[in-house]
Every structure is written in structure tokens, then in C-alpha cells.
Amino acid sequence: MNQTIIFYQLFELESSTYTYLLADPATKEAVIIDSVLETVERDLKLIRELGVDLKYILDTHVHADHITGAGRLRALTGAKSAISHQAKVECVDHPLKDGDKLFIGNTAISAFETPGHTNSCMSFLIENRIFTGDALLIRGTGRTDFQGGSSETLFDSVHQKIFALPDHTEVYPGHDYNGHTKSTISLERQFNPRLGQGKSKSEFVKIMSELKLANPKKIQQALPANLTCGIVAEKQSL
Amino acid sequence: MNQTIIFYQLFELESSTYTYLLADPATKEAVIIDSVLETVERDLKLIRELGVDLKYILDTHVHADHITGAGRLRALTGAKSAISHQAKVECVDHPLKDGDKLFIGNTAISAFETPGHTNSCMSFLIENRIFTGDALLIRGTGRTDFQGGSSETLFDSVHQKIFALPDHTEVYPGHDYNGHTKSTISLERQFNPRLGQGKSKSEFVKIMSELKLANPKKIQQALPANLTCGIVAEKQSL
């Protein structure tokens, strides 16, 4: 029997962050994407209950709104951490480049550079699911006004890398603030009000320049902590 | 090609309620389960964007913590509402009994009476997904201290109706407060601390009797409103 991949979507309520746990059904090798420090124990409990073996800890980018659970998970499980090589994060076992692949069992995790929200954002494709971090959100995008962000670059990343995927590919973002859990490439091409619906790059740049967002509440702690996989913050909180 | 069912899980943040939208891929006939009044417009937008045709509006029970969107969705779409016949709700097109089936295209929605959280709770099985409302939650259960609730009855409902399903059946509850989005029958049988792990009925009754929960904040508005599909509340808010 052709078993389907083990897939769990988890939500961290304070930062509205989605964490994803996937495991190869045959070997039980698992990957976690965008873990959050505060929910590491919940995620470890689920990993134990599912009887899967955490192999990789991925982050789509250096988050500004929450502290990654990567360092704590790495210390507690021995799993290997991975993030874009451009993120210049300490304690990363696999600095990833565009087109790199990691494997859980025979299941490939393909890494694509999708900069623009930050200069080192990646998206990860596993079977028919793309994990877009804060590049492409559901009917939205990540902001582009700090961490080397660029609206022009983000437009190109989404159009050239993400919208190039088949229509039915499921989109799982790093956050959602409206209670959506997934989308598809087809829906985002048609209905994303920022860069779908045939919007041009200049229209997108104008939309983004007019957002005038406040800084994330945790940016002062999160950015330095995430450059060391969340380990500094953990020590401070002990 | 054998198309898979269209499936979207939606979250209402204030009451931590999950709403589910499913559609038959061939006919595009759709069902919504446990809609929330405040998020009806979001759900209607998704229905339009997906190009599906809402046929049924189901509620697992008369909710005490939020007002159903059923009345508003019924008025705006012409879809038919359904809930347990025991709920004695006005304006219900299909009062459901144990074992009843509704269809979206060729896809069956099987209704099971699973009382105990309230005296009229139902769970709905669609393919390999069971929508359990507040009978079985992820590593928890609904409370049993009002609306005709009974811990003994809930224990029997879960063990005789829900745990009777195959191990791999996916469990989608009416709420989650810890950021979980789904479970499986196997996980709940093994790890549910209230009535899995080999717990006896008397152990479950004791656990439930010691919970000492406060009433839901919205119970005074929600219960009377939900007996009229949320229509009273809607008129009051206009």
C-alpha cells in the first residue's frame, strides 16, 4: 500500500505562527519547519506520541516576531538544523542553497531561495506542499521593510519560484491572522490582492510602500536570539 | 484521475472554534460544519473563490460558547441546515438521527449520535475524517456539566461510536486551545488522558467531576441564539 506522508500543522497563538511536522511513513524520519521556542515541549510530545524520529529542524528565515525552537530542539533531540546559508546563523548544521535537497526516508525536501521578506528567506517543497514562510501568505505576503527586505525581490521570488509550481500545490504559510490554514497556488494566483490577480510589480511595490506597519513586538529579542538558534533567549529564561 | 475531496479547516480565534468546509471534487457540492457568526463573511468568500456550491450547513451541537453562522449562511446561500433532531432547533431543514446520511455529490456524510457533552451532540464522518464537535477533543473531551451533559454517556459515545472507527481515521474537533489541528483515532485511544490510555468509565467520571470549569463567557447569548440558528443574535446586531 502506498502510504501517505505523516503531516501535522501546529499553531502558536501569541505570534500566530504555524509550525509543521512531517514524517516519512516508511522510515518515520521527520522534519519540523518553523518551530517556536514556547511550543517546543508540545511539539516534542507529539513527536514522541507519533513515534517518529526527528532528523531535521528547518527555519524558513530569521524570524523577527518569535524566537525559534531550533536550538532547543537540536539540543534535546540531536536533530540537525538547517536554514539559508545567507542567514549567517550560528549553530546551523546544513546551511542551504537554492536547489538543495534534504531527505526524510525517500521523501525529498527541496529548498528554494525566495528572498524579499528578508534577504535569506527560503521556501520548502515536500511532495505537493510548499511551505512558504513569510514570502507568500494566504491572500497576503510578508512585509518587506526590514532585514534586507525588498518588494521588488519578493515579487520576483513569488512569481518565479512559487507561482511556477502546479496549480494544485498546497500552500502552507508561516503565519495566518484570519483563521485560514492553507491555500493553493491556483487560489493565490487568482485572489492574492497584493501580487495575484494580474498585479504588476510596480503595483505591488506601491501597495507594500503604503502599509506603514509597526515593528513586531518581539523584534528586539527575536532577531539576536534567532541568529543563535534561540539559544541565547533560552539561557536567559532559565 | 481519482480526485481527492476539497477540504479546508478554518479557525475562529475568539472562541478557538474550528469550522470545516468540504466539497465533492466532481460536482463541487459543499458542506460547512460548525460555522461561527463572526466569520461567515470569510467563509463565504472562500466558498466563492473555490467555486463550490454550498449545499449543507451542519452543526455538531447547540454551541454554548459561540453563535452559529448557520442562520446567516442559510439566508444568504439557500443551503439547507442540519443538526440532531434532539437539539430542537428552529429553522432546521434536516433534523438528523443516528445513522442518517447526506450526500455532496457521491460523497457521503454519515451522522452519528455522540451525546454526553450535550444531549444532542452528533459526529459526522466524511471519508476517513471524523468531525467530533465537542465530544472528542485532541487529548481531551468536551465538558459534561450542562445542556443535558453526562460523563457516563460521553464515555460510551466515544468508546462505542468514535473509537470504533479504524485507527488511521483523522479526528477533527470543534475546538482546540493548544494549537493542534487534527488527531487520529489511534493517537486518541493511546494518549487521550481522560478516556484513552485504558481509562475506565469510573475514572473518566471522576476526572470530569473534578474539572470545576467556569461557564463559557457567551453562554447567555449563545444558547438562545443557537436555538434559532443564530438569527436572533444577527437581528439584534443589525
Side-chain angles (χ1 to χ4, degrees):
Chain A
M1 193 178 117
N2 218 344
Q3 287 183 290
T4 54
I5 199 161
I6 296 164
F7 172 68
Y8 283 80
Q9 182 171 21
L10 299 146
F11 190 59
E12 197 283 315
L13 286 146
E14 193 191 339
S15 61
S16 297
T17 299
Y18 281 123
T19 297
Y20 300 96
L21 177 69
L22 296 97
D24 178 70
T27 62
K28 307 285 187 194
E29 287 182 349
V31 57
I32 196 163
I33 300 174
D34 286 342
S35 64
V36 177
L37 184 60
E38 286 81 355
T39 41
V40 159
E41 306 308 323
R42 174 198 65 188
D43 301 345
L44 281 172
K45 184 165 178 281
L46 181 59
I47 286 167
R48 284 194 303 272
E49 290 175 344
L50 288 168
V52 299
D53 176 24
L54 191 65
K55 187 172 178 187
Y56 293 117
I57 304 156
L58 269 55
D59 275 288
T60 53
H61 64 293
V62 179
H63 309 281
D65 63 329
H66 68 272
I67 297 174
T68 179
R72 185 162 173 79
L73 280 167
R74 183 167 172 263
L76 292 172
T77 66
K80 302 299 182 192
S81 65
I83 192 168
S84 168
H85 73 109
Q86 302 213 42
K88 318 277 185 228
V89 170
E90 290 177 36
C91 66
V92 165
D93 301 297
H94 297 278
L96 298 170
K97 293 188 178 173
D98 191 60
D100 279 354
K101 282 185 179 14
L102 298 171
F103 285 87
I104 45 171
N106 289 320
T107 305
I109 304 162
S110 303
F112 298 96
E113 288 182 352
T114 52
H117 166 60
T118 75
N119 62 359
S120 59
C121 286
M122 296 196 108
S123 296
F124 303 117
L125 181 70
I126 303 178
E127 294 184 340
N128 73 325
R129 293 181 175 95
I130 182 86
F131 300 90
T132 54
D134 296 4
L136 181 64
L137 303 179
I138 298 173
R139 313 292 188 277
T141 64
R143 61 197 293 170
T144 55
D145 56 338
F146 52 63
Q147 290 180 269
S150 155
S151 300
E152 288 86 350
T153 304
L154 181 56
F155 186 91
D156 290 341
S157 290
V158 172
H159 278 267
Q160 293 168 15
K161 298 283 181 66
I162 299 175
F163 283 179
L165 295 166
D167 266 356
H168 61 82
T169 310
E170 294 192 326
V171 173
Y172 290 92
H175 301 280
D176 193 84
Y177 306 95
N178 303 306
H180 286 276
T181 58
K182 72 169 178 185
S183 185
T184 64
I185 294 296
S186 171
L187 285 171
E188 294 310 314
R189 267 204 218 107
Q190 291 177 78
F191 302 113
N192 191 300
R194 292 189 183 174
L195 43 56
Q197 303 181 310
K199 286 275 196 314
S200 69
K201 191 191 288 192
S202 61
E203 286 174 296
F204 178 64
V205 170
K206 184 166 185 290
I207 289 167
M208 297 306 286
S209 70
E210 291 169 352
L211 289 180
K212 313 244 181 285
L213 299 167
N215 267 355
K217 282 181 213 157
K218 284 197 175 178
I219 190 169
Q220 298 299 337
Q221 304 113 283
L223 283 187
N226 288 335
L227 290 173
T228 54
C229 307
I231 290 293
V232 169
E234 190 196 351
K235 283 185 183 154
Q236 287 173 337
S237 72
L238 289 176
Chain B
M1 192 179 117
N2 218 347
Q3 288 183 289
T4 53
I5 199 162
I6 297 164
F7 172 69
Y8 283 80
Q9 181 171 23
L10 299 147
F11 190 58
E12 196 283 314
L13 286 146
E14 193 190 339
S15 62
S16 297
T17 299
Y18 281 124
T19 296
Y20 300 96
L21 178 69
L22 297 97
D24 178 69
T27 62
K28 307 285 186 193
E29 288 182 349
V31 58
I32 196 164
I33 300 174
D34 286 342
S35 64
V36 177
L37 184 60
E38 286 82 354
T39 41
V40 159
E41 306 308 324
R42 174 198 66 187
D43 300 346
L44 281 171
K45 184 166 178 279
L46 181 60
I47 287 167
R48 283 194 304 271
E49 290 175 344
L50 289 168
V52 299
D53 177 24
L54 191 65
K55 187 172 178 187
Y56 293 117
I57 304 155
L58 269 56
D59 275 288
T60 53
H61 63 293
V62 179
H63 309 281
D65 63 328
H66 69 271
I67 296 173
T68 178
R72 185 162 173 80
L73 280 168
R74 184 168 173 262
L76 292 172
T77 65
K80 303 299 183 191
S81 65
I83 193 169
S84 168
H85 74 108
Q86 301 212 44
K88 319 275 186 228
V89 170
E90 289 177 37
C91 65
V92 165
D93 301 296
H94 297 278
L96 298 171
K97 294 186 178 173
D98 191 60
D100 278 355
K101 282 186 178 19
L102 298 171
F103 285 86
I104 45 171
N106 288 320
T107 305
I109 305 162
S110 302
F112 298 96
E113 289 181 352
T114 51
H117 167 61
T118 75
N119 62 0
S120 59
C121 286
M122 296 196 109
S123 296
F124 302 116
L125 181 70
I126 303 177
E127 296 185 340
N128 73 325
R129 292 181 175 95
I130 182 85
F131 300 91
T132 54
D134 296 4
L136 181 64
L137 303 179
I138 297 174
R139 314 294 190 274
T141 64
R143 61 198 291 168
T144 56
D145 56 338
F146 52 63
Q147 290 181 269
S150 156
S151 300
E152 288 86 349
T153 303
L154 181 55
F155 186 91
D156 290 342
S157 289
V158 172
H159 278 269
Q160 293 167 16
K161 298 282 182 66
I162 299 175
F163 283 178
L165 295 167
D167 266 357
H168 61 82
T169 310
E170 294 192 324
V171 173
Y172 289 93
H175 302 281
D176 193 84
Y177 306 96
N178 303 306
H180 286 277
T181 59
K182 71 170 179 186
S183 185
T184 65
I185 294 296
S186 170
L187 285 172
E188 293 310 314
R189 268 205 218 105
Q190 291 178 78
F191 301 113
N192 191 299
R194 292 189 182 174
L195 43 54
Q197 304 180 308
K199 286 275 195 319
S200 69
K201 192 191 286 191
S202 61
E203 286 175 296
F204 178 64
V205 170
K206 185 165 182 292
I207 289 167
M208 298 307 286
S209 70
E210 291 169 352
L211 289 181
K212 313 239 181 290
L213 300 168
N215 268 354
K217 283 181 212 159
K218 283 197 176 179
I219 190 169
Q220 298 300 337
Q221 305 112 281
L223 282 186
N226 288 334
L227 290 173
T228 54
C229 307
I231 290 294
V232 169
E234 190 196 351
K235 281 183 183 155
Q236 285 172 341
S237 73
L238 288 177

